Amino acid sequence: MNVKPDFSKNANMAATAPAFLSIYDMHAYYGESYIVQGISFNVHEGEILALLGRNGAGKTSTLRAVARMDAPQATYGEIWLDHQPLHKMKSHQAARAGIGLVPEDRSIIPGLSVEENLQLAQIAEPVGWSIDRLYDLFPRLGERRKQEGVTLSGGEQQMLAIARALARDIKVLLLDEPYEGLAPVIVDEIEKTLIHIKEQGITTVIVEQNAVRALELADRSVILDTGSIVFDGSAAEVLENAELRAEYLAI
Ligand SMILES: Nc1ncnc2c1ncn2[C@@H]1O[C@H](COP(=O)(O)OP(=O)(O)OP(=O)(O)O)[C@@H](O)[C@H]1O
Ligand SMILES: [Mg+2]
């Protein structure tokens, strides 16, 4: 844990080669508020990583900093995606580099149908999955292609938000509480699609209050507590470790 990925050419690559997505010594502020307090972790290509922690731990701030959103306003440290320095980029550049953030509020665009929401996402190059392929993944969206996106049910809106991310050619999907407010049967449905997305080679970071569901899906987990990392290891280890769960996840 907290091993600096090697970004130089001449050091020992075997011990410290950067992972697919490497976050090194990242700090983030909202104004004077110091929120993310020097975190380092790796996400390996093709895996699902569950980023967990109590309310206010800094999970959303971490995702937003990786996606280079305007808030948190000041971030320090290095973020590398497939040898690209995200820490030097603005959000639209990070999106082009392959980051797809699905925010907690889902951000469906009012006044646009399901299909128009997807078409709008495809205006940005490079284009990802075709709309037909997205409807294969989410048949409910295909059935409702003409319906206004904001009138979909919560679960359908979550599907549209994920589909919209895939409509661009992304390498990493960042999901902020995708199961929030959804019935277990809908969570099952979305989980199946996340497994399919993984099988297509896309790397996923999932933030979830429903930690058990996220851990059952994930390969590995990173747990945050007040802006610092307190665990970095396998998801199974967290599921088996009742003490860890009680202390940092309250489950
Ligand atoms: N725009 C903002 N301005 C100031 N402080 C903020 C802002 N957004 C978040 N914070 C603060 O940063 C801290 C971390 O928030 P963050 O949203 O990253 O936590 P989280 O782990 O996602 O929590 P939750 O599980 O409740 O979603 C909190 O103390 C929060 O109040
Ligand atoms: Mg959050």
Side-chain angles (χ1 to χ4, degrees):
M1 181 170 130
N2 292 1
V3 176
K4 179 173 184 173
D6 176 43
F7 303 118
S8 71
K9 291 208 170 66
N10 51 10
N12 178 0
M13 293 299 286
T16 56
F20 188 60
L21 175 62
S22 288
I23 290 132
Y24 175 67
D25 198 24
M26 188 173 80
H27 303 254
Y29 293 78
Y30 294 99
E32 298 284 294
S33 294
Y34 181 35
I35 300 299
V36 176
Q37 305 187 347
I39 63 171
S40 302
F41 64 98
N42 289 326
V43 187
H44 303 128
E45 188 167 15
E47 77 176 354
I48 299 180
L49 182 124
L51 180 62
L52 305 176
R54 291 174 189 271
N55 291 121
K59 305 177 298 292
T60 296
S61 302
T62 298
L63 293 188
R64 291 180 60 89
V66 170
R68 314 304 299 142
M69 305 304 280
D70 288 338
Q73 292 95 349
T75 57
Y76 302 95
E78 296 183 18
I79 310 163
W80 292 84
L81 171 61
D82 203 12
H83 309 286
Q84 305 170 93
L86 294 184
H87 53 279
K88 294 182 180 165
M89 297 182 189
K90 302 277 186 206
S91 59
H92 68 279
Q93 296 166 316
R96 184 174 284 258
I99 293 287
L101 173 66
V102 179
E104 195 175 359
D105 67 8
R106 296 159 192 163
S107 300
I108 307 302
I109 299 170
L112 298 187
S113 68
V114 166
E115 191 146 302
E116 287 164 345
N117 266 277
L118 296 174
Q119 284 167 340
L120 190 65
Q122 286 191 324
I123 289 172
E125 301 267 319
V127 173
W129 294 25
S130 70
I131 290 179
D132 283 346
R133 189 173 170 202
L134 292 167
Y135 290 157
D136 283 343
L137 181 63
F138 296 111
R140 280 162 175 262
L141 296 181
E143 289 159 17
R144 293 165 179 75
R145 64 182 75 197
K146 296 214 161 65
Q147 191 174 327
E148 191 184 352
V150 293
T151 67
L152 296 172
S153 72
E156 290 159 1
Q157 285 194 32
Q158 186 61 48
M159 293 172 196
L160 179 55
I162 295 170
R164 205 177 40 179
L166 294 170
R168 291 193 8 261
D169 185 23
I170 58 166
K171 296 185 165 85
V172 178
L173 185 60
L174 304 176
L175 300 171
D176 199 354
E177 310 217 12
Y179 303 155
E180 192 186 10
L182 306 183
V185 59
I186 305 296
V187 172
D188 290 345
E189 209 174 308
I190 290 176
E191 189 179 61
K192 268 192 213 133
T193 65
L194 296 179
I195 292 166
H196 181 79
I197 290 165
K198 176 183 173 168
E199 286 166 358
Q200 305 307 302
I202 293 175
T203 305
T204 296
V205 178
I206 179 171
V207 164
E208 232 335 296
Q209 286 302 330
N210 193 340
V212 172
R213 290 299 298 252
L215 287 163
E216 285 167 353
L217 174 70
D219 302 287
R220 290 194 314 113
S221 179
V222 165
I223 302 180
L224 289 179
D225 189 48
T226 52
S228 297
I229 292 178
V230 291
F231 176 86
D232 182 337
S234 81
E237 201 176 327
V238 184
L239 283 171
E240 286 158 14
N241 189 333
E243 240 169 82
L244 188 69
R245 290 204 319 269
E247 188 164 4
Y248 298 114
L249 305 175
I251 51 170

